[in-house]
Amino acid sequence: MTDLSGRRVLVPGGTGAVGEGVVRRYLAAGADVVVPTRTQQRADEFRHVLGDAATDRLHLVVHDYTTFAGAEDLAEQMVSRLGGIDDVVAPIGGWWAGKRLWEISSTDWQSAFTGLATAHMAVLRAVLPRLGARGAYTVIVGGSASWPVPGSGLVSMEQAAVLMMQRVVTAELGGEKRVFALVLGPVRTRTADSGDPEHVTAEQVGAVAVAASAASTVAGQEIPVGDRTEAEKALALLAG
């Protein structure tokens, strides 16, 4: 098991289905994990879901990080309380479906595209300058970032924007810091389990993120985690 004892990890979106697996793996690796959530009720529910995995190294913070100001305040609080930020994993997002692009409303646009893209940008902007040199910033996107999904175009557009964000910031950093993008296929979670053994689990996604944090000599890059075989290849790449 990878040992990340002493590492301070921020997981915005950590209370989601994929985020749960990420949080579990970082806690198992010994890291201090900060998970922001908008309500105390949601925080209490998530602690209950984690059960015994919710050690004293889990820091649930009631906070809205989805704006530039909110993300900046969260980053400042984390530095003040824990002394710094070593890693970030951002499984921010959700699914949206049901309309063709010319049928969407202003509300659809704001919630499924603008709001999520802004949240990703806000966190990156606030945290990257504060990120420790040994750590990694990892965004998690779905395969819809690379292929169109009819009726879910806003998801594809938003995920493509986040993937391009990773590409641009990697080019701008020039190797100074490591930014990864994990590109997922179907994921088996606590709330949606296909039962297909070739589909990765949320904890396997978390294992790849942990490996990226630990692999200090591996440059930031896009890593496909579309199925179990790709997850195993990703772990081998990061271990090497």
Side-chain angles (χ1 to χ4, degrees):
M1 172 100 38
T2 302
D3 184 5
L4 295 180
S5 298
R7 296 279 275 269
R8 299 151 300 189
V9 184
L10 174 62
V11 188
T15 60
V18 174
E20 177 191 338
V22 172
V23 171
R24 286 183 181 276
R25 291 306 295 240
Y26 275 95
L27 288 171
D32 279 270
V33 183
V34 174
V35 181
T37 182
R38 294 192 183 188
T39 67
Q40 186 60 50
Q41 179 181 354
R42 180 60 175 152
D44 294 340
E45 290 172 351
F46 187 60
R47 186 177 293 277
H48 177 72
V49 164
L50 291 177
D52 292 341
T55 68
D56 58 0
R57 288 179 286 97
L58 172 67
H59 308 275
L60 288 164
V61 180
V62 178
H63 197 288
D64 183 1
Y65 61 86
T66 60
T67 66
F68 278 27
E72 187 73 19
D73 181 65
L74 176 61
E76 288 179 355
Q77 286 190 37
M78 191 168 171
V79 171
S80 175
R81 295 179 182 181
L82 295 180
I85 306 171
D86 295 300
D87 300 276
V88 178
V89 183
I92 301 169
W95 192 250
W96 177 94
K99 297 178 183 178
R100 296 171 293 183
L101 288 180
W102 59 90
E103 297 170 335
I104 66 170
S105 66
S106 175
T107 300
D108 295 329
W109 176 254
Q110 291 297 324
S111 63
F113 183 86
T114 304
L116 293 177
T118 298
H120 271 284
M121 188 63 229
V123 174
L124 181 97
R125 175 181 175 274
V127 173
L128 196 62
R130 298 175 167 92
L131 195 69
R134 64 176 178 168
Y137 193 111
T138 302
V139 297
I140 295 179
V141 299
S144 58
S146 300
W147 71 75
V149 180
S152 296
L154 292 185
V155 175
S156 295
M157 292 167 65
E158 181 267 332
Q159 294 283 274
V162 173
L163 186 57
M164 183 53 72
M165 181 186 77
Q166 181 270 338
R167 293 172 179 173
V168 171
V169 77
T170 296
E172 291 175 340
L173 285 167
E176 179 184 346
K177 294 180 181 180
R178 301 180 304 130
V179 181
F180 293 90
L182 305 188
V183 184
L184 309 183
V187 181
R188 297 167 57 191
T189 69
R190 176 177 54 87
T191 59
D193 190 345
S194 66
D196 188 335
E198 292 305 310
H199 291 173
V200 296
T201 66
E203 287 205 43
Q204 286 170 328
V205 175
V208 175
V210 166
S213 290
S216 59
T217 61
V218 178
Q221 59 191 276
E222 294 175 37
I223 300 180
V225 192
D227 55 30
R228 181 177 176 180
T229 299
E230 288 190 342
E232 292 170 352
K233 289 180 179 178
L235 291 172
L237 167 71
L238 294 165

